[in-house]
Amino acid sequence: MFASLAFRERYLDVLASIYIYNEFRGYTSLDRVLEAVRLRCPDEPDFQHEIEKHRADEEKHYHMFRRWFERQGRMPLRVDSGVGHIDRFIQWVFHCTIEELDTGAIVAAPEEFERLCRVIMLTEQRGYRQVEIILKNRLIMSDPVMKKIFEIVHKDEPDHFLPYQHWLERQGRATAKWNERAADWCIHKVLMLIKLPALFLDAGRPRLERWPDEDQVANAA
């Protein structure tokens, strides 16, 4: 019984640490996307509002996971871009980090902006499918707070990929190319089969000393 409880606690700890990283990375990165959308699509306020909602949802999800950790009385495990799906996807497709993305160049080149929309769309579609799997996981669903968090994430998730999908369709552009789908599949497999197990087994993994949003405020000051 003790071993099973310890396994459950560690599994939830690792899972929530990965999610809180990705949710924080998501909403802070969407500031760059929103800037590009406003410049590229100034006459599409509905599209802009959809991106604003996407950003707000990601920030809401981040704070839900933060409150879960606060209820546990511990900080998240320290993880990096190695567990970030969008980090790895941007690196794969654009050959740079999110911070290095040239918003001006993306806005100036229609094919680059379309590529960015596809990367976000595929990332969010992957997230939606993963949450559907999580909602069937009895181990995760045994935690009532975690269960509620993922139910909310599942409800919000379609609004995170449909705006980009619909925009691409309105332009008569491809919603995904085979190499981008292949990249998404490879990234997901690496995260699930290598990164997550390695983090689970890393008993000496340090924890964050400050919440990511607190570091963001400190760095901006």
Side-chain angles (χ1 to χ4, degrees):
M1 177 64 72
F2 177 78
S4 62
L5 288 175
F7 180 91
R8 172 181 174 273
E9 181 176 303
R10 179 65 177 178
Y11 187 80
L12 292 176
D13 200 16
V14 168
L15 183 70
S17 296
I18 292 173
Y19 263 90
I20 201 170
Y21 173 88
N22 279 281
E23 299 293 353
F24 177 77
R25 194 64 161 152
Y27 85 78
T28 53
S29 299
L30 280 168
D31 288 330
R32 306 283 304 283
V33 176
L34 187 54
E35 176 188 356
V37 169
R38 285 169 176 161
L39 292 170
R40 183 72 192 172
C41 312
D43 57 345
E44 296 190 54
D46 290 344
F47 186 34
Q48 295 175 29
H49 294 330
E50 289 170 335
I51 310 306
E52 290 168 357
K53 181 184 184 300
H54 182 187
R55 186 201 182 283
D57 283 349
E58 298 279 1
E59 185 171 12
K60 177 182 71 177
H61 298 166
Y62 164 79
H63 284 286
M64 290 192 300
F65 283 107
R66 172 171 170 168
R67 287 194 294 273
W68 182 84
F69 274 108
E70 289 172 337
R71 289 167 66 97
Q72 305 299 312
R74 59 177 179 265
M75 296 291 284
L77 297 168
R78 186 182 298 279
V79 298
D80 56 25
S81 60
V83 302
H85 192 283
I86 189 64
D87 291 270
R88 299 172 72 88
F89 212 161
I90 291 291
Q91 186 73 50
W92 193 310
V93 173
F94 291 97
H95 309 294
C96 67
T97 65
I98 291 174
E99 290 80 7
E100 293 168 342
L101 272 178
D102 187 337
T103 304
I106 288 174
V107 170
E111 65 277 7
E112 292 296 286
F113 183 73
E114 292 162 11
R115 186 181 302 173
L116 179 62
C117 287
R118 290 195 300 269
V119 165
I120 299 171
M121 184 200 75
L122 288 169
T123 297
E124 297 298 336
Q125 287 177 338
R126 173 66 64 185
Y128 183 69
R129 291 194 295 270
Q130 192 60 37
V131 171
E132 289 192 317
I133 293 171
I134 286 172
L135 288 173
K136 298 175 184 177
N137 186 311
R138 296 168 67 180
L139 182 68
I140 301 171
M141 293 299 99
S142 65
D143 183 306
V145 177
M146 192 69 78
K147 178 176 183 289
K148 183 63 176 177
I149 289 173
F150 280 110
E151 287 173 343
I152 293 171
V153 172
H154 184 258
K155 180 181 178 181
D156 290 341
E157 205 66 46
D159 287 343
H160 299 174
F161 63 81
L162 287 175
Y164 309 95
Q165 178 181 324
H166 291 162
W167 185 86
L168 288 163
E169 290 170 347
R170 288 196 302 271
Q171 310 308 310
R173 310 304 294 175
T175 54
K177 296 186 176 181
W178 73 267
N179 58 322
E180 293 162 347
R181 289 196 180 279
D184 168 63
W185 184 87
C186 290
I187 291 166
H188 177 67
K189 291 303 180 183
V190 168
L191 291 175
M192 297 303 298
L193 300 179
I194 299 176
K195 293 294 183 178
L196 193 153
L199 185 58
F200 182 90
L201 296 172
D202 186 0
R205 170 74 58 163
R207 294 185 180 273
L208 294 177
E209 297 178 359
R210 291 168 57 89
W211 296 103
D213 57 308
E214 292 176 344
D215 276 341
Q216 182 187 31
V217 172
N219 291 336

